[in-house]
Amino acid sequence: MTRAAALPLPPAAGGLREGDPPGRRSWAVLDGPLGLESGVRLADVRLAYETWGRLAPDGSNAVLVLHALTGDSHAAGPAGPGHPSAGWWDAVIGPGRALDTDRWFVVAPNALGGCQGSTGPSSRRPGGAVWGGAFPYLTVRDQVAAEVRLADVLGIGRWASVIGGSMGGMRALEWAVGHPGRTGSLLVLAAPAASSAEQIAWGSTQIAAIRGDPNWRGGCYHDAPPGSGPHQGLGLARRIAQVTYRSEAELGARFGRRAQPGELPSQGGRYEVESYLDHHAAKLVRRFDAGSYVVLTEAMNAHDVGRGRGGVARALRRADMPALIAGIDSDRLYPPAQQARTAALLPGADAPRLIESPYGHDGFLIETEQVGALLGELLPPARETP
């Protein structure tokens, strides 16, 4: 049997690197330093973003779409130079789709701290050196503060809607609570108002896996040669996360206890489910930076819209715009009960919605018809021409 050619070694840090094709991205450079909750003032901040559609003269048709942990600004469109994968919500965004870009001006930024064009650990700091392990601690509130400045650059005073799932849902809630006058409506998918102890435990375990890799080097590995980054730690973090993203029933139905074809677990081979996790780990280390994974996971662990605002219940009362909060019936990472509590506390929210899916937490990415139906409920119908 002919062995398949080995892939080249992955770069020390995945993500967009200097000299890579920009793809559909644009960049906004923030005017002046960005003050963080930690007290740090982060200078030379830029956010990568993509847009679809055309902004109305009065700015009334702008919609903000916010990605999850390892997502990016490429929410729609084909794979190609600068974009190794098709858009993560390609079935939702586009002409005639739920977010109809003949009507809406859709903006998707790469989160602050990310590795797909926005300022993060793999970026160069003032003076030219890579930030690496010196990159400051971020919160979801800091990420939203950067996105507020992006809206200012784009001339958008108020979003018609702010939409996000998972980490993107955390940011959407922070927009609604922190900037209710700039959030016309809200759709939150599979995200809590504050991360729970169990969610922090899952995130902290993944962070520990990365920091425990000998090639982590305190986060200062970005100039290492290919194959010398913290790939083992990042791959382990992805394996842990992937189990939480899917449901037990789906994993059982897809893989059961079957051995990977041609391998015997009793002789050091793998089960099919192990091969599945290995596949996702190998993909992530080529497209994502371990430093960004740590920074973004820390931000998710710190997520709490009630921090400094008198608690979650009081904070959510500030967000009085129309809102839909949806959970996924098989989600074991962010269970639907959390979304039900959020919906009960939001003045403008209807009853919580439930997306039916065998796929667990990843259902907000996969069940695009049900997501589209929620968008149809939330967004006002197009005005009829007289």
Side-chain angles (χ1 to χ4, degrees), residues 245-292:
Y245 295 160
R246 297 290 177 141
S247 71
E248 187 278 336
E250 190 227 354
L251 293 177
R254 286 181 67 180
F255 306 113
R257 292 186 44 80
R258 294 185 297 275
Q260 181 71 1
E263 300 186 27
L264 293 174
S266 62
Q267 297 180 17
R270 299 170 298 171
Y271 291 96
E272 282 189 357
V273 70
E274 291 180 273
S275 175
Y276 165 77
L277 296 177
D278 288 346
H279 169 73
H280 281 279
K283 282 178 60 178
L284 190 72
V285 300
R286 292 181 179 278
R287 71 172 183 86
F288 211 79
D289 175 43
S292 282

Side-chain angles (χ1 to χ4, degrees), residues 82-100:
H83 302 297
S85 302
W88 50 269
W89 246 8
D90 192 54
V92 174
I93 300 168
R97 296 174 184 168
L99 279 176
D100 187 346

Side-chain angles (χ1 to χ4, degrees), residues 84-184:
S85 302
W88 50 269
W89 246 8
D90 192 54
V92 174
I93 300 168
R97 296 174 184 168
L99 279 176
D100 187 346
T101 51
D102 288 336
R103 179 186 177 199
W104 301 107
F105 178 66
V106 179
V107 180
N110 182 219
L112 179 67
C115 58
Q116 294 291 346
S118 292
T119 296
S122 59
S123 304
R124 298 203 174 271
R125 62 195 299 181
V130 174
W131 273 104
F135 193 77
Y137 179 86
L138 292 182
T139 66
V140 169
R141 205 167 294 178
D142 295 330
Q143 294 171 324
V144 170
E147 290 161 5
V148 169
R149 301 271 290 274
L150 170 65
D152 293 342
V153 170
L154 296 176
I156 298 168
R158 181 175 183 269
W159 299 101
S161 193
V162 178
I163 298 162
S166 195
M167 186 184 82
M170 296 177 183
R171 288 150 64 201
L173 273 172
E174 189 59 50
W175 261 99
V177 169
H179 307 277
R182 301 188 70 166
T183 307

Side-chain angles (χ1 to χ4, degrees), residues 16-18 25-30 42-49 110-114 116-120 123-124 146 150:
L16 191 72
R17 299 183 296 279
E18 290 184 19
R25 295 174 184 85
S26 297
W27 277 269
V29 178
L30 305 191
L42 187 60
D44 294 348
V45 174
R46 70 174 192 167
L47 292 185
Y49 66 96
N110 182 219
L112 179 67
Q116 294 291 346
S118 292
T119 296
S123 304
R124 298 203 174 271
L150 170 65

Side-chain angles (χ1 to χ4, degrees), residues 39-386:
V40 170
R41 292 180 64 77
L42 187 60
D44 294 348
V45 174
R46 70 174 192 167
L47 292 185
Y49 66 96
E50 295 180 45
T51 67
W52 299 265
R54 180 175 296 180
L55 185 63
D58 62 359
S60 63
N61 68 332
V63 173
L64 182 64
V65 172
L66 302 172
H67 67 77
L69 171 60
T70 60
D72 56 27
S73 64
H74 196 53
H83 302 297
S85 302
W88 50 269
W89 246 8
D90 192 54
V92 174
I93 300 168
R97 296 174 184 168
L99 279 176
D100 187 346
T101 51
D102 288 336
R103 179 186 177 199
W104 301 107
F105 178 66
V106 179
V107 180
N110 182 219
L112 179 67
C115 58
Q116 294 291 346
S118 292
T119 296
S122 59
S123 304
R124 298 203 174 271
R125 62 195 299 181
V130 174
W131 273 104
F135 193 77
Y137 179 86
L138 292 182
T139 66
V140 169
R141 205 167 294 178
D142 295 330
Q143 294 171 324
V144 170
E147 290 161 5
V148 169
R149 301 271 290 274
L150 170 65
D152 293 342
V153 170
L154 296 176
I156 298 168
R158 181 175 183 269
W159 299 101
S161 193
V162 178
I163 298 162
S166 195
M167 186 184 82
M170 296 177 183
R171 288 150 64 201
L173 273 172
E174 189 59 50
W175 261 99
V177 169
H179 307 277
R182 301 188 70 166
T183 307
S185 64
L186 176 70
L187 176 60
V188 175
L189 304 168
S195 294
S196 70
E198 183 178 40
Q199 289 150 5
I200 294 169
W202 282 120
S204 298
T205 302
Q206 294 165 52
I207 291 170
I210 294 171
R211 287 181 169 156
D213 189 317
N215 287 332
W216 170 246
R217 302 185 188 93
C220 298
Y221 55 85
H222 293 84
D223 293 327
S228 298
H231 303 130
Q232 293 298 317
L234 179 57
L236 178 55
R238 180 61 168 184
R239 289 175 177 89
I240 295 167
Q242 193 66 28
V243 174
T244 71
Y245 295 160
R246 297 290 177 141
S247 71
E248 187 278 336
E250 190 227 354
L251 293 177
R254 286 181 67 180
F255 306 113
R257 292 186 44 80
R258 294 185 297 275
Q260 181 71 1
E263 300 186 27
L264 293 174
S266 62
Q267 297 180 17
R270 299 170 298 171
Y271 291 96
E272 282 189 357
V273 70
E274 291 180 273
S275 175
Y276 165 77
L277 296 177
D278 288 346
H279 169 73
H280 281 279
K283 282 178 60 178
L284 190 72
V285 300
R286 292 181 179 278
R287 71 172 183 86
F288 211 79
D289 175 43
S292 282
Y293 199 102
V294 168
V295 165
L296 298 180
T297 303
E298 286 179 332
M300 294 171 72
N301 282 352
H303 169 60
D304 178 1
V305 296
R307 184 177 60 255
R309 295 168 173 156
V312 167
R314 179 175 292 181
L316 290 177
R317 286 200 293 270
R318 300 165 60 163
D320 59 356
M321 70 288 299
L324 283 180
I325 311 298
I328 300 163
D329 61 359
S330 57
D331 191 345
R332 54 182 171 179
L333 179 58
Y334 297 111
Q338 286 188 314
Q339 287 82 60
R341 287 194 292 272
T342 299
L345 293 168
L346 278 170
D350 201 348
R353 300 297 194 266
L354 195 63
I355 294 173
E356 297 180 356
S357 176
Y359 300 113
H361 182 64
D362 275 353
F364 81 94
L365 296 169
I366 297 170
E367 305 293 352
T368 52
E369 287 190 10
Q370 293 182 67
V371 170
L374 294 173
L375 287 166
E377 282 190 66
L378 182 68
L379 296 176
R383 296 176 182 172
E384 294 184 5
T385 303

